[in-house]
Amino acid sequence: MIRTFAIAPIALSLALVGTPALAGSHAVEQSSTVSYADLDLTRATDVARFDNRIEGAAKRVCGGTPGRSLKEKMSFSACYSDALASARQTAEQAVAAAKAAGQLASLEAR
């Protein structure tokens, strides 16, 4: 009998450097954890939910909404873009792992 074990992470951490949250003249690193324990990442609807959670977390760690000044808007935009790029790369790995695990389970069931 062949036994396979898969360890599935249940949360994605968004770590950002250079966010608009400033302490004096230094940027402060912000992070947020996005859980996907309740999602089936082999289903497109759940992947979309996961992406919505990532977008919301990115907005929160970047200060919620862009400020009124051009500098604040540019800072928010840069932070948000960086956060999404970083988080989506990790999220894509989680989705790929879930799909691979689902395919493996399908093969083992045969």
Side-chain angles (χ1 to χ4, degrees):
M1 176 166 74
I2 298 174
R3 291 185 183 186
T4 59
F5 298 92
I7 300 174
I10 59 169
L12 170 70
S13 181
L14 301 175
L16 309 170
V17 178
T19 66
L22 299 176
S25 62
H26 297 86
V28 177
E29 183 175 319
Q30 300 287 323
S31 66
S32 180
T33 300
V34 179
S35 177
Y36 56 93
D38 61 322
L39 301 177
D40 177 356
L41 297 182
T42 63
R43 296 178 48 209
T45 55
D46 283 357
V47 172
R49 284 187 184 109
F50 187 31
D51 194 53
N52 286 338
R53 291 177 187 181
I54 290 168
E55 289 174 357
K59 285 179 185 174
R60 285 189 300 278
V61 297
C62 292
T65 57
R68 293 182 182 208
S69 74
L70 180 59
K71 182 178 179 180
E72 290 171 329
K73 288 178 183 181
M74 290 176 60
S75 180
F76 176 86
S77 180
C79 175
Y80 185 71
S81 295
D82 289 346
L84 286 181
S86 173
R88 284 186 172 147
Q89 182 177 20
T90 305
E92 287 171 7
Q93 293 170 353
V95 171
K99 288 181 179 179
Q103 290 172 348
L104 179 60
S106 173
L107 290 174
E108 289 178 349
R110 292 181 183 183

